[in-house]
Amino acid sequence: MIKAQRGTKDILPENILTWQRIEKTARELFQRANYKEIRTPIFEATELFKRGVGDSTDIVNKEMYTFSVGGQNKDESSITLRPENTAGVVRAFIEHGFSRASVPVKFWYFGPMFRYERPQKGRQRQFHQIGVEMFGVNDPSADAEVIALALKFLSEMGLKELVAEVNSLGCTKCRDEYKNRIKEVLKPYLDNLCEDCKVRYEKNPLRMLDCKNESCAKIFENDEIKRVILSDFICEECLEHYNSVKKYLDVLGVKYKENKMLVRGLDYYNRTVFEIKSDALGSQSAVAGGGRYDGLVEMLGGEKTPAVGFALGVERLYELVEHTEEQKLDYFVVSNLQDKAMETVQCLRDMGKSADFDFQNRKFGKQLEKAGKTAKMAVIIGEDEVAGEYYTVKNLETGEQKKLKLSEL
Ligand code: HAM
């Protein structure tokens, strides 16, 4: 028997109402905040993610579903299933000339992403993200809006206690100095770092800070190293920006805490980064993450455009929210007069009611049993009803029964 692929899941009808509620809540909230929905393709040129997400990230190095299509005479360029959607949205922003639109340009999206990871609770190979991206605004009010929006969405989904962890990664200038200081202080420990961190040491030293390896975490506990990690490295301009983000978060009544170890797993960030975590999720605790990426549009060939956004993992959110129960049908039509049953079901549906019938013309008792399980009301049509031009309508919760005309239903 062929089964679903490891790390993928069917979303069944019994779960779909919660998914639909998540999507509806997102759509309504983001529309109120003036974000327009964008749907980009699920595969893109591999080059987009290599350049966009970054060559030194786990995502690009280990987790991409990359393939080429076609034979000798066909298009053999390498394509990749999107591991995230910021790069794709930036590509669309550039391709459709949104840099000429009046700022800010605000998008939101919902869709599947693909990462070849080791599946575990909260970690899948196909998962879904809801995200927003805002282009054109350098001002810290944009960062605050995006963080506030992520928390507002979670709160509208019933998760009111969640807090955003925030940090500033500074700009390329001040961060480069910081990277060098971290490398310097870690140099004597290089042999004791895990294999991944040895590579990160060269390619992207900041990523070492959120290494999950125990022996690395122990090294970072060393006083001297900790002092460097926790030092205030960001330049005056970045500090001013960061302080304003926090001030605006206070203005909006957003709950946040600072976490200097927060570096995020994608290369495009500068200045503000944030994550929203929930202990209830276990080891994969991040529900949402995001930040500012002022260099990405230019790096992918567009005009220099500041930007900030976040994405939220829908499967992880699903684990945290109350689930919506499936609703019973308004009416189940019970009859051995198949044509009458069909006609009545159609009329009821045209009237905006949910309705169904047996299709197989089974015994009356069987149909009534099915009605009891699936509907709030049964509409009974027998010979007497047809002769008298009425319907017997039975309330399946109270047992109450009435004779009604269709227009009275
Ligand atoms: P990310 O932190 O890689 O950021 O992913 C965002 C969220 O997607 C995570 O917090 C998590 O909830 C969910 N997620 C990630 N990987 C998996 C997985 N394998 N299984 C289940 N859920 C997962 C981004 O993707 C950035 N594009 C966010 C962003 C938008 N930054 C700026 N704009």
Side-chain angles (χ1 to χ4, degrees):
M1 196 205 136
I2 301 171
K3 294 199 167 163
Q5 292 293 294
R6 225 161 90 77
T8 70
K9 266 190 193 156
D10 298 310
I11 303 162
L12 299 172
E14 66 210 53
N15 313 121
I16 208 75
L17 288 176
T18 305
W19 276 78
Q20 287 171 351
R21 194 176 95 236
I22 292 172
E23 195 174 339
K24 183 167 181 275
T25 307
R27 171 167 291 116
E28 288 174 1
L29 174 67
F30 298 147
Q31 269 172 9
R32 288 205 303 277
N34 199 23
Y35 289 74
K36 316 276 184 215
E37 186 175 0
I38 186 164
R39 298 185 189 186
T40 57
I42 61 164
F43 60 86
E44 299 269 1
T46 303
E47 193 59 23
L48 177 71
F49 302 114
K50 279 196 176 161
R51 274 164 56 191
V53 176
D55 251 346
S56 71
T57 59
D58 285 352
I59 295 179
V60 167
N61 279 318
K62 304 182 194 165
E63 298 170 1
M64 296 217 294
Y65 282 92
T66 296
F67 48 96
S68 53
V69 275
Q72 265 180 337
N73 300 319
K74 291 195 187 157
D75 176 8
E76 286 185 74
S77 57
S78 171
I79 59 175
T80 292
L81 297 184
R82 61 184 185 191
E84 60 98 60
N85 208 22
T86 307
V89 170
V90 168
R91 192 234 355 102
F93 176 89
I94 299 167
E95 192 169 332
H96 300 285
F98 279 105
S99 53
R100 292 189 299 275
S102 77
V103 294
V105 176
K106 294 164 145 193
F107 295 124
W108 79 275
Y109 53 83
F110 183 117
M113 310 292 154
F114 307 85
R115 295 184 192 176
Y116 186 74
E117 296 197 79
R118 198 167 44 79
Q120 62 179 85
K121 188 171 176 286
R123 194 159 74 191
Q124 291 180 204
R125 290 180 172 170
Q126 176 177 339
F127 60 98
H128 295 74
Q129 284 186 344
I130 292 177
V132 310
E133 314 291 352
M134 188 204 293
F135 294 94
V137 184
N138 214 339
D139 195 84
S141 54
D143 311 48
E145 157 153 314
V146 163
I147 298 171
L149 211 51
L151 279 167
K152 174 70 81 188
F153 172 63
L154 291 165
S155 147
E156 290 200 357
M157 286 307 304
L159 306 169
K160 300 196 190 306
E161 311 74 36
L162 296 181
V163 173
E165 290 185 11
V166 298
N167 192 19
S168 175
L169 299 179
C171 56
T172 30
K173 228 175 67 212
C174 50
R175 196 169 50 227
D176 279 350
E177 262 172 53
Y178 182 57
K179 280 183 193 167
N180 288 337
R181 273 164 54 202
I182 288 187
K183 281 179 81 168
E184 218 172 85
V185 74
L186 278 173
K187 202 169 186 180
Y189 302 88
L190 199 49
D191 286 345
N192 304 327
L193 292 172
C194 74
E195 291 309 309
D196 280 343
C197 276
K198 280 179 190 150
V199 177
R200 290 175 190 141
Y201 183 88
E202 294 304 334
K203 282 190 162 179
N204 189 357
L206 284 196
R207 286 287 295 142
M208 293 190 289
L209 302 190
D210 70 359
C211 178
K212 304 286 180 287
N213 188 300
E214 265 178 41
S215 57
C216 293
K218 223 181 223 156
I219 293 173
F220 303 143
E221 284 300 311
N222 172 302
D223 280 347
E224 194 195 347
I225 297 172
K226 198 138 205 188
R227 211 172 307 121
V228 173
I229 292 173
L230 298 182
S231 64
D232 291 318
F233 71 91
I234 56 178
C235 63
E236 221 163 278
E237 257 178 82
C238 287
L239 184 64
E240 202 179 300
H241 192 274
Y242 184 43
N243 285 337
S244 300
V245 172
K246 290 187 282 181
K247 185 189 81 185
Y248 289 134
L249 289 175
D250 290 333
V251 168
L252 294 174
V254 169
K255 286 181 268 175
Y256 65 89
K257 61 178 181 205
E258 293 181 68
N259 176 4
K260 287 216 165 187
M261 302 289 272
L262 183 67
V263 290
R264 306 273 301 130
L266 304 99
D267 277 355
Y268 46 63
Y269 294 113
N270 66 301
R271 292 193 167 164
T272 315
V273 286
F274 73 101
E275 247 171 35
I276 301 170
K277 296 178 185 157
S278 165
D279 291 338
L281 288 172
S283 65
Q284 301 303 311
S285 61
V287 196
R292 182 165 275 284
Y293 49 97
D294 295 332
L296 188 58
V297 178
E298 193 179 21
M299 206 243 278
L300 292 174
E303 284 167 35
K304 193 166 169 37
T305 310
V308 56
F310 78 84
L312 173 147
V314 183
E315 281 78 2
R316 294 190 191 171
L317 173 63
Y318 183 92
E319 290 299 313
L320 297 172
V321 298
E322 264 184 42
H323 293 171
T324 311
E325 297 280 321
E326 212 177 329
Q327 291 276 318
K328 283 192 165 177
L329 283 173
D330 293 324
Y331 295 101
F332 192 90
V333 176
V334 174
S335 178
N336 288 117
L337 305 164
Q338 191 84 332
D339 49 355
K340 276 278 161 208
M342 283 184 89
E343 201 186 4
T344 310
V345 163
Q346 179 164 284
C347 279
L348 288 165
R349 290 177 184 169
D350 287 349
M351 287 159 68
K353 303 293 177 190
S354 57
D356 214 347
F357 75 114
D358 180 61
F359 283 95
Q360 304 158 89
N361 212 0
R362 285 182 301 177
K363 289 212 175 81
F364 205 79
K366 277 262 178 254
Q367 291 193 28
L368 211 50
E369 203 179 298
K370 170 105 180 171
K373 283 188 191 142
T374 54
K376 294 180 219 160
M377 306 270 207
V379 177
I380 298 163
I381 315 170
E383 303 286 353
D384 290 352
E385 279 81 1
V386 175
E389 294 186 354
Y390 65 88
Y391 299 89
T392 299
V393 179
K394 182 173 182 179
N395 182 323
L396 295 162
E397 275 144 30
T398 63
E400 189 193 354
Q401 212 160 290
K402 274 186 185 166
K403 291 178 181 175
L404 295 174
K405 301 238 175 289
L406 183 63
S407 60
E408 293 171 326
L409 278 181

